[in-house]
Amino acid sequence: MNSPFHPGEQAIQSRIGVREQVESMGSRMIRDHMPEQHREFFAQLPWMLVGSLDSDGQPQASVLWGKPGFAHSPEPSLLRINARPEADDPLTANLHGAVRLGLLGLELPTRRRNRLNGPLVDSDREGFTVAAQQSFGNCPKYIQARDWHWEARPAGPLEQGNGLDQRWLGLVERSDTLFIASQHLDPQTGGVDISHRGGTPGFARLGEDGRLWLPDYSGNQMFNTLGNLLLEPRCGLLWVDFNSGDLLHLEARAEILWPDQTGSGELPDLPGAERLVALTPGRWRLRRSRLPLSFDSPRPSPFLPQGH
């Protein structure tokens, strides 16, 4: 029987001794269709996180929005998104042909999240449709719960550049949430993922080496993102400013470091981290005042490491 996990995921599962246990779990959890509760869940959301690939194979992380129901499932194997990205969203250039996409539905008030990965099967002026290749739920750990409200905003300017920049570093240093898009390259079983990462404000820290250091806490042990990064270090990051609606899209290259590799005093001290992911910043876009949602103060995750 074919495994639901690719060699990168399997390698990390084996390294920490959960390979057999997670294989059994993944075979039950990962489906080629959405159960009814997932179909209903997506239709309740005001936003959708989207992972895509550009023409060079660089992953990009984006967010789309609309009144609840803008994402809906006409049948268990399809998810329709009635929204189009703005012209300066990196997703705009990537919606063509049978490209693979990763979708993440995240309901912040309840900490629920479900994922759907698969190929683009239709795209028109109103939106696009994705076929379910992998459909599965994720645990709510490390999500900061927030209530949301619609807030009309005049769109701000686009700023862009390459590498570490003070124009966006402040957002990163005060954020408790980010999204990361990654990929597995296999032409038959590969695809794009987008996943959530959370912690206390500033959990992604700037190291002395100019890289952003991201803690990796204990999770569902499937290692979808880390398995991708082990084989293909390029990733796309998205930070959302929950106050201003600013959206930061950052391309990066990731290196996974394990406890036996992190004895140097130059590395950030990130309590509770079982591994660290070092991110070398590349090209970036800062799209000011774009997300037409406002959010109340966060209710911190009860799973956050003590002392972090």
Side-chain angles (χ1 to χ4, degrees):
M1 184 174 69
N2 292 333
S3 172
F5 300 109
H6 64 65
E9 296 164 326
Q10 293 174 4
I12 296 182
Q13 292 164 9
S14 295
R15 178 165 186 157
I16 67 167
V18 298
R19 175 79 193 96
E20 185 174 326
Q21 150 195 350
V22 174
E23 179 72 21
S24 175
M25 177 182 70
S27 298
R28 297 191 308 269
M29 287 180 56
I30 301 174
R31 311 171 181 90
D32 61 1
H33 64 280
M34 288 168 280
E36 191 61 30
Q37 64 176 350
H38 288 202
R39 300 175 70 197
E40 294 173 355
F41 168 79
F42 284 122
Q44 298 170 2
L45 301 175
W47 68 347
M48 180 72 65
L49 288 306
V50 184
S52 64
L53 301 178
D54 69 16
S55 59
D56 295 323
Q58 166 68 50
Q60 304 286 353
S62 300
V63 59
L64 299 175
W65 52 84
K67 297 295 183 182
F70 87 104
H72 61 278
S73 172
E75 58 184 79
S77 63
L78 297 175
L79 188 63
R80 171 72 182 182
I81 311 295
N82 281 333
R84 299 292 305 186
E86 295 179 331
D88 57 2
D89 186 325
L91 178 61
T92 297
N94 303 343
L95 286 176
H96 58 81
V99 296
R100 296 170 180 178
L101 299 174
L103 302 177
L104 170 65
L106 176 60
E107 189 174 62
L108 284 177
T110 64
R111 296 190 173 98
R112 290 180 64 197
R113 57 175 165 166
N114 291 309
R115 287 161 66 167
L116 184 141
N117 302 334
L120 180 73
V121 295
D122 180 56
S123 179
D124 55 42
R125 294 176 60 184
E126 303 300 321
F128 58 95
T129 304
V130 178
Q133 186 177 54
Q134 292 185 325
S135 170
F136 55 102
N138 276 162
C139 69
K141 280 186 173 181
Y142 317 120
I143 297 173
Q144 319 311 317
R146 287 174 163 90
D147 295 324
W148 62 271
H149 315 275
W150 287 104
E151 180 173 333
R153 305 180 191 273
L158 168 69
E159 301 175 32
Q160 51 191 332
N162 198 318
L164 185 66
D165 199 292
Q166 293 298 319
R167 284 176 284 180
W168 55 257
L169 184 58
L171 170 57
V172 171
E173 291 181 329
R174 64 177 179 269
S175 291
D176 59 23
T177 300
L178 68 84
F179 303 97
I180 180 168
S182 60
Q183 67 162 319
H184 175 227
L185 294 169
D186 187 276
Q188 300 300 321
T189 62
V192 182
D193 282 293
I194 185 165
S195 62
H196 164 278
R197 291 292 185 270
T200 53
F203 74 107
R205 301 187 190 177
L206 178 63
E208 295 179 9
D209 59 1
R211 294 190 291 180
L212 298 174
W213 289 80
L214 180 66
D216 190 71
Y217 305 129
S218 173
N220 60 20
Q221 299 186 324
M222 292 196 291
F223 296 108
N224 306 120
T225 298
L226 291 193
N228 288 347
L229 297 177
L230 183 67
L231 302 180
E232 165 55 273
R234 291 183 296 174
C235 57
L237 306 166
L238 174 70
W239 277 269
V240 176
D241 189 319
F242 291 111
N243 295 316
S244 69
D246 289 356
L247 301 173
L248 169 64
H249 308 260
L250 175 66
E251 299 175 9
R253 294 186 69 89
E255 179 184 5
I256 304 168
L257 288 105
W258 296 81
D260 58 355
Q261 300 173 287
T262 57
S264 170
E266 297 181 356
L267 301 181
D269 178 22
L270 299 174
E274 296 191 345
R275 294 152 294 274
L276 299 177
V277 179
L279 300 160
T280 301
R283 295 181 300 180
W284 56 269
R285 303 184 192 191
L286 180 56
R287 300 165 57 221
R288 299 282 190 183
S289 187
R290 300 304 180 89
L291 184 66
L293 297 170
S294 64
F295 297 85
D296 295 341
S297 297
R299 301 185 295 279
S301 165
F303 295 97
L304 286 176
Q306 296 298 312
H308 181 265

